[in-house]
Amino acid sequence: LKIKFEQLLIPPKEFRFKQTLGYLARTNNECLYKVKNETVYKLILLHEKKVLLSVSEAGENKLIIRFHCVIPEESIRMEAAQYVWDWFDLNRDLAPFYQLAETDPILQKLIEAHYGLRIVGIPDLFEALSWAIIGQQINLTFAYTLKTRFVETYGEHMEVDGNKYWLFPTPAKIAGLSVDELKGLQFSQKKAEYVLEVARRMEEGSLSKKKLSQLKSFSQIEQELVKIRGIGSWTANYVRMICFRDPTAFPIADVGLHNAVKQFFRLDQKPSIEELKKMFANWPNWEAYVTYYFWRTLY
DNA sequence: TTCCAGGGTAACG
DNA sequence: CGTTACCATGGA
């Protein structure tokens, strides 16, 4: 890929790009970015323009963003840097989290295995909600299949050097679809209805990341989200976690978390909700990070 | 073939 | 309010 411009990013101390890459490369089924040669490539939309960027490590814990398209203007380069900063959750101060581990053997073990791992987010609210809805109650492999069909049917792409890079579909594109069209991709009736409802609300403007961000608390964001059909506690917390960057978000009903905890402690059966509440009470304000670190123990 | 998957809704008591 | 049946489809 031809490099048109480079931009340096200096992440905080408690960050290891290797961990981010490990997460990004956890599956071959992801259609919204590619990982190759320790570099992640992603197409994003900035000011209506498709911008293909890559992120890799440059020297000691520095990141370098490269642009593989027309040379973006200064303001767009800054927004791209901001995007990556948010995507990798580089704004979070992990020092208190790691301090908490000093007197906690469970956290110590988790952090030892994943030091420098940050929650890789989904900054786009429509994508975050849609992906959560798609993933409800089906195995992840099939969830990726559905997402890929959805993206490649309704999303835009850019082709560079024979590779296609995709954007997640916009609410505007999806809002006009019918349930049957999504069922054609093997969405269930309910999933199709839920995704369409979210798209319509976003297209109409009553639902937006900006509006929700202006609320006073993350719990208010959750209250607003669960008013929408198809969005329950798990989905709302998942989205608080990966889109709104709430470290206290806690998708406690998550099957992946249950399996991870079961395996981590070699339990005979999955932990109950009460047991999880009790356990996580040791990690106040870091529920999202502990959940994420547990997830990583599965792959 | 059976079990279950990064849940949610609606009906019921 | 807490519980339960049901949804719906593919993966392993």
Side-chain angles (χ1 to χ4, degrees), chain A residues 272-285:
Chain A
S272 69
I273 297 296
E274 281 311 310
E275 288 169 328
L276 285 169
K277 274 185 186 165
K278 208 178 226 177
M279 186 187 308
F280 273 73
N282 292 316
W283 311 308
N285 301 320

Side-chain angles (χ1 to χ4, degrees), chain A residues 46-62:
Chain A
L46 295 174
H47 295 288
E48 313 293 315
K49 283 183 188 164
K50 296 190 187 79
V51 177
L52 177 60
L53 57 80
S54 69
V55 187
S56 52
E57 203 162 28
E60 284 175 34
N61 212 27
K62 289 174 188 161

Side-chain angles (χ1 to χ4, degrees), chain A residues 212-230:
Chain A
L212 291 175
S213 299
Q214 285 164 349
L215 295 175
K216 272 182 281 181
S217 66
F218 291 117
S219 113
Q220 280 186 312
I221 293 178
E222 180 170 346
Q223 281 175 40
E224 287 305 307
L225 286 176
V226 297
K227 287 179 186 168
I228 303 168
R229 279 197 61 215

Side-chain angles (χ1 to χ4, degrees), chain A residues 41-163:
Chain A
Y41 298 85
K42 185 171 178 62
L43 183 66
I44 63 175
L45 196 64
L46 295 174
H47 295 288
E48 313 293 315
K49 283 183 188 164
K50 296 190 187 79
V51 177
L52 177 60
L53 57 80
S54 69
V55 187
S56 52
E57 203 162 28
E60 284 175 34
N61 212 27
K62 289 174 188 161
L63 294 180
I64 189 153
I65 301 174
R66 296 185 167 97
F67 298 94
H68 307 274
C69 49
V70 292
I71 303 174
E73 308 152 24
E74 167 81 13
S75 65
I76 289 187
R77 293 199 305 268
M78 284 310 174
E79 285 190 39
Q82 196 59 53
Y83 181 92
V84 172
W85 196 263
D86 180 32
W87 186 22
F88 296 163
D89 203 24
L90 298 178
N91 230 17
R92 178 73 43 206
D93 179 11
L94 285 191
F97 180 48
Y98 289 174
Q99 277 164 22
L100 196 58
E102 286 171 12
T103 55
D104 188 316
I106 298 171
L107 272 193
Q108 267 174 34
K109 196 173 160 192
L110 284 174
I111 291 169
E112 198 177 329
H114 307 291
Y115 182 88
L117 174 67
R118 283 162 187 267
I119 297 174
V120 176
I122 303 179
D124 174 32
L125 179 62
F126 182 55
E127 182 190 334
L129 285 169
S130 301
W131 172 232
I133 290 167
I134 287 172
Q136 287 169 3
Q137 189 56 18
I138 58 174
N139 66 71
L140 270 180
T141 308
F142 183 48
Y144 279 116
T145 301
L146 288 182
K147 179 168 98 164
T148 301
R149 283 181 192 152
F150 186 67
V151 167
E152 295 186 353
T153 305
Y154 301 111
E156 294 193 21
H157 72 277
M158 190 166 99
E159 190 162 340
V160 180
D161 293 347
N163 285 105

Side-chain angles (χ1 to χ4, degrees), chain A residues 184-246:
Chain A
L185 305 183
Q186 283 180 293
F187 278 52
S188 65
Q189 172 82 23
K190 295 267 170 75
K191 275 192 204 305
E193 289 173 8
Y194 297 164
V195 169
L196 289 179
E197 175 66 17
V198 169
R200 283 171 192 149
R201 286 179 186 242
M202 291 194 74
E203 172 60 6
E204 159 205 69
S206 62
L207 173 66
S208 73
K209 187 172 183 180
K210 190 175 177 185
K211 271 193 176 177
L212 291 175
S213 299
Q214 285 164 349
L215 295 175
K216 272 182 281 181
S217 66
F218 291 117
S219 113
Q220 280 186 312
I221 293 178
E222 180 170 346
Q223 281 175 40
E224 287 305 307
L225 286 176
V226 297
K227 287 179 186 168
I228 303 168
R229 279 197 61 215
I231 300 180
S233 176
W234 177 85
T235 304
N237 275 277
Y238 179 76
V239 170
R240 275 170 65 169
M241 173 176 168
I242 61 164
C243 188
F244 292 97
R245 296 316 198 164
D246 171 14

